[in-house]
Amino acid sequence: MYIATIKEITEYIARTHKGGGEFVRALQPDVLEFEELTSPPPPTTTNVVEIEIWKMDLKEYREKLKIRTEIVKQAYAVVFGQCSLAV
């Protein structure tokens, strides 16, 4: 029953959310964790191109973090809704 429930939750999240594939991967029995997100280190030079690349990397990092947070919130809401007593 547990495996079937996890499968349904992950399929729902994958269908309904951008970046849901990461959630599916994180709940696979042999993984059970999200890939670690690390903030890009600041540039060490004053090269304009490197600074712009860093800005783009930072924007991508923040977007991934935002998506992951929303996915976890949605998954919690789904599980909480399934496990709560009917009103």
Side-chain angles (χ1 to χ4, degrees):
M1 181 74 166
Y2 174 78
I3 298 296
T5 302
I6 292 296
K7 183 179 177 186
E8 289 295 322
I9 290 170
T10 57
E11 286 177 359
Y12 172 76
I13 297 295
R15 273 194 325 268
T16 59
H17 287 81
K18 176 183 175 184
E22 180 186 19
F23 190 79
V24 171
R25 184 192 164 283
L27 287 182
Q28 289 176 354
D30 59 335
V31 177
L32 291 178
E33 65 184 357
F34 284 104
E35 179 182 321
E36 184 178 348
L37 292 179
T38 55
S39 178
T44 56
T45 67
T46 57
N47 183 322
V48 176
V49 174
E50 287 185 23
I51 292 172
E52 289 303 314
I53 290 172
W54 174 76
K55 286 179 183 179
M56 291 173 22
D57 290 345
L58 185 61
K59 182 179 179 180
E60 181 181 328
Y61 165 76
R62 288 182 175 173
E63 183 66 25
K64 285 181 179 181
L65 198 57
K66 179 181 173 185
I67 290 170
R68 181 179 289 178
T69 302
E70 291 303 315
I71 289 171
V72 170
K73 286 179 185 179
Q74 181 64 35
Y76 179 80
V78 169
V79 172
F80 187 74
Q82 293 297 315
C83 297
S84 299
L85 298 175
V87 177

